[in-house]
Amino acid sequence: MARNDKTQVTALIDDLPAFSRQRGGGVFIVLKGPDRGESVSVQDQPVYFGSAPACEMVLTDKTVSRRHLLAVPNGASVILKDQGSTNGSFVQGSRFKEITIGYGAEFKVGRTLIKYLPEEEIVDPSPSEETSFGQLIGSSTKMRQLFNLLQDVAATDATVLIEGETGTGKELIAEEIHNHSKRRDGPFIVFDCGSVPRELIESALFGHVKGSFTGAQSDKDGLVKSAHGGTLFLDEIGELNLELQPQLLRVIEKREVRRVGETQGVKVDIRIIAATNRDLRAMVAKGSFREDLFFRLAVVPIEVPPLRERREDIPLLIDTLLVALSDGGPSLTVADDARDALVAHDWPGNVRELRNVLERAAYLARATGETDVRLASVPFAGKPAGWDASGMPAFDGRKSYRQTKSEWEEVFEKRYVQWLLERNEGNISAAAREADMDRKYLHKLAKKHGLHPSDSK
C-alpha cells in the first residue's frame, strides 16, 4: 500500500477512534497474475489499468489490452468501466461493461485478479519538543514526530504494528510503548516468531496440556497467558506460519487463548505489539499472510525511518553510545574525520550496526589505553574512497573514461529519481508522467536505489 519518505502513521477507520481520520480513498492490489503484489492508490482521480506505459496501473499480462479498464472514484465505492478490451473484465465470473464495487471486491482483467481495499490514511504528527522518548534518541523531525506519536499511542490499549528495517530499534520502541503505558507494572513478554522452530511455536505461544502431543509430559502455559496484565511483543510477525495465524487472530479478537489439547479457552488481558521488516501488504496480496490478521494487527501501524534517512541523528547517537561505552572510565572521543565518515555511511544495519562498530572500536581503544576511538581497523565504508567532499566521484587518472562516466551516471540516477519522487510526494505514477518515463522503469530505478515511492512497492 501507499508509502512515502516521510515518517508515516496510518490509522484504520473504526478500529481506533482517537487516531481515526476520513479515508482518502482506496487501493488496488494485484492478487494473481505476472504483476502480483503491485498496487496503486485511487484518491479523487481516475485510474487506468492496461499494458500501455501511460496507465496508472501498468500490467504485463499479455491478455490485458493497452487501455483495458478505467476506475472512477465515487465516494467510498469505485465505478469500473471496461474500455472495450479484447478479453473482457469480470466480477465473480460475469463479464461487465460497467459496474460499481466497494471495499473488498475482486475483479479480473484478462488473467489478472485485482482486489480493492480501503486506503490507510497517512497522518504526519507534529514533532515533539523532546529529543528522546525513554531509551530512544533523535533530534531529527522524523524521530520527534515518532516520539509524539508513541506518547499518544502508549496511553491507549491499541494494537500496534511496527514496521522498519533490521536494526532500527523496533523492539526498543515496543518496550518504550509498554513502559509509558498503564501496563508498565505488568510483564513485557517478547516472542521472536523467526527464531523458534515451526513445530514448537504453537506450544510456546499458546501453551499445551499434558499428553496433547509426543513430549508433552506436563501442562504448560504459553507466552500469551504469561503476558496477562501486560504486553506481548511479537517480533518478526511475518515469519509466523500461515496455519497458526487463525489462532493468533482469535487471541486478538476475543482476548482468549486455548492451549494445545484443550477445547475451552481462558480470557487474557493483554496488549499486542507486533513488528516486522517484511512487507506484509505484499504478503497479503500473495496469500502468504492473512488479510484479516493484518488489519487486526495494523490498528496503528508505525514505520520507523532507517538511519540513512535521519543522518542528523548520528552525531547525537555517537555521543550517547560513547558515554555508555566509556563504562565509568575516561570519556571516549571520535576524531572529526572519523565522525564525518560515520555520518556519511548508509548503515544498512542501522543503529545496531552503528553500535557494533563503536563497540568494536571502543574495545580496541581500551585495550591500548587510549581514549580516542579509531575506526581505521573497523570494516565499514563511509564515503567511497576517491570521492570528493560534495559526495561526487573524483576524477582519477587511473580510471578510464568509461569507469568515471559510469560512477557519475550512478550518482546522477539516484539523485534524479530521489528529487523526482520528492517533487511528486512519492507518487510514482505522477513522477513518471512528469519525467516522460515508463512507470515500471521508474519503479525499478527507485527499488534499485532503496527509494520508496508511495503508490507502489
Side-chain angles (χ1 to χ4, degrees):
M1 288 189 183
R3 294 186 182 214
N4 58 23
D5 60 350
K6 297 179 181 179
T7 302
Q8 294 185 349
V9 183
T10 53
L12 297 178
I13 302 302
D14 301 328
D15 279 314
L16 186 63
F19 296 97
S20 296
R21 302 290 188 272
Q22 283 294 316
R23 285 188 179 102
V27 62
F28 294 103
I29 299 179
V30 178
L31 299 182
K32 293 180 182 177
D35 302 291
R36 186 173 64 178
E38 287 292 324
S39 63
V40 64
S41 298
V42 55
Q43 302 292 329
D44 53 4
Q45 297 295 321
V47 171
Y48 276 99
F49 298 80
S51 59
C55 291
E56 282 73 24
M57 171 66 89
V58 180
L59 300 170
T60 58
D61 183 347
K62 295 185 189 255
T63 64
V64 169
S65 300
R66 286 182 58 79
R67 283 210 169 194
H68 195 113
L69 182 75
L70 175 64
V72 180
N74 181 30
S77 59
V78 170
I79 303 171
L80 302 180
K81 300 179 180 181
D82 186 89
Q83 301 295 289
S85 65
T86 301
N87 294 307
S89 304
F90 298 81
V91 168
Q92 295 181 345
S94 298
R95 187 165 182 167
F96 67 86
K97 289 186 177 179
E98 181 173 318
I99 192 171
T100 300
I101 64 169
Y103 296 131
E106 296 179 2
F107 59 93
K108 288 188 74 173
V109 290
R111 294 194 182 97
T112 296
L113 180 65
I114 300 171
K115 188 161 189 171
Y116 180 56
L117 292 171
E119 179 73 281
E120 296 172 19
E121 186 199 6
I122 299 170
V123 181
D124 287 327
S126 58
S128 168
E129 295 182 359
E130 305 295 330
T131 57
S132 66
F133 182 76
Q135 302 173 73
L136 302 169
I137 297 169
S139 59
S140 64
T141 299
K142 289 185 176 183
M143 288 304 290
R144 289 187 294 112
Q145 284 179 321
L146 179 61
F147 298 159
N148 209 4
L149 169 69
L150 294 178
Q151 186 71 54
D152 291 341
V153 170
T156 76
D157 258 344
T159 305
V160 176
L161 177 64
I162 305 171
E163 301 172 281
E165 296 179 4
T166 297
T168 49
K170 296 186 289 295
E171 181 175 339
L172 195 59
I173 288 173
E175 187 175 353
E176 288 305 333
I177 291 175
H178 172 78
N179 290 340
H180 288 76
S181 75
K182 61 185 179 183
R183 297 176 175 271
R184 66 179 67 88
D185 295 328
F188 177 72
I189 303 296
V190 178
F191 181 73
D192 188 339
C193 300
S195 66
V196 178
R198 175 177 171 180
E199 62 274 11
L200 300 179
I201 290 180
E202 185 176 21
S203 174
L205 266 182
F206 309 115
H208 63 257
V209 296
K210 181 179 179 180
S212 57
F213 57 86
T214 303
Q217 299 178 357
S218 61
D219 291 352
K220 177 185 176 182
D221 288 333
L223 295 179
V224 171
K225 189 171 182 182
S226 298
H228 181 76
T231 302
L232 175 64
F233 174 56
L234 300 173
D235 201 6
E236 301 305 337
I237 190 65
E239 306 299 327
L240 185 65
N241 185 266
L242 195 60
E243 297 173 359
L244 296 178
Q245 292 178 20
Q247 291 174 257
L248 178 59
L249 181 63
R250 187 183 305 115
V251 171
I252 296 173
E253 290 183 335
K254 297 185 177 181
R255 288 301 192 265
E256 180 181 285
V257 62
R258 189 170 61 205
R259 296 187 296 184
V260 178
E262 279 186 332
T263 57
Q264 296 294 323
V266 295
K267 292 293 184 179
V268 287
D269 173 24
I270 61 171
R271 179 186 197 161
I272 293 179
I273 301 176
T276 183
N277 61 6
R278 301 183 65 180
D279 185 351
L280 294 188
R281 296 161 183 81
M283 292 178 67
V284 168
K286 293 175 182 177
S288 57
F289 199 88
R290 289 180 63 107
E291 180 182 278
D292 47 6
L293 178 57
F294 170 74
F295 282 114
R296 294 307 301 169
L297 288 171
V299 174
V300 182
I302 296 174
E303 186 170 345
V304 188
L307 196 52
R308 64 181 173 275
E309 293 182 5
R310 53 183 187 100
R311 294 181 190 273
E312 60 267 45
D313 289 335
I314 294 178
L316 179 59
L317 287 167
I318 292 172
D319 293 338
T320 303
L321 289 168
L322 286 181
V323 170
L325 292 170
S326 296
D327 198 23
S331 298
L332 296 172
T333 59
V334 175
D336 289 343
D337 57 344
R339 184 180 290 263
D340 291 343
L342 290 170
V343 173
H345 185 46
D346 273 347
W347 300 109
N350 294 292
V351 180
R352 182 183 295 134
E353 182 186 2
L354 173 62
R355 183 178 63 243
N356 289 346
V357 164
L358 291 175
E359 282 180 350
R360 192 180 309 137
Y363 174 80
L364 293 174
R366 287 196 301 267
T368 56
E370 299 179 357
T371 58
D372 185 25
V373 172
R374 302 179 184 277
L375 302 173
S377 61
V378 179
F380 87 101
K383 285 183 182 176
W387 286 42
D388 63 24
S390 69
M392 300 296 290
F395 295 131
D396 188 337
R398 295 168 295 180
K399 296 180 180 179
S400 68
Y401 164 78
R402 180 174 296 179
Q403 286 177 299
T404 305
K405 180 182 178 183
S406 177
E407 289 181 355
W408 278 77
E409 286 177 342
E410 186 80 5
V411 175
F412 159 76
E413 189 177 86
K414 179 175 181 178
R415 290 188 175 182
Y416 178 78
V417 172
Q418 186 173 19
W419 169 81
L420 185 64
L421 290 173
E422 287 175 352
R423 274 175 57 84
N424 290 276
E425 298 181 345
N427 188 310
I428 200 166
S429 298
R433 285 195 295 269
E434 180 182 354
D436 196 22
M437 295 174 69
D438 179 77
R439 179 183 174 279
K440 288 282 187 183
Y441 181 62
L442 178 56
H443 175 262
K444 182 179 179 181
L445 291 180
K447 184 176 181 181
K448 171 184 174 183
H449 295 294
L451 305 172
H452 301 287
S454 69
D455 66 347
S456 175
K457 294 295 175 204

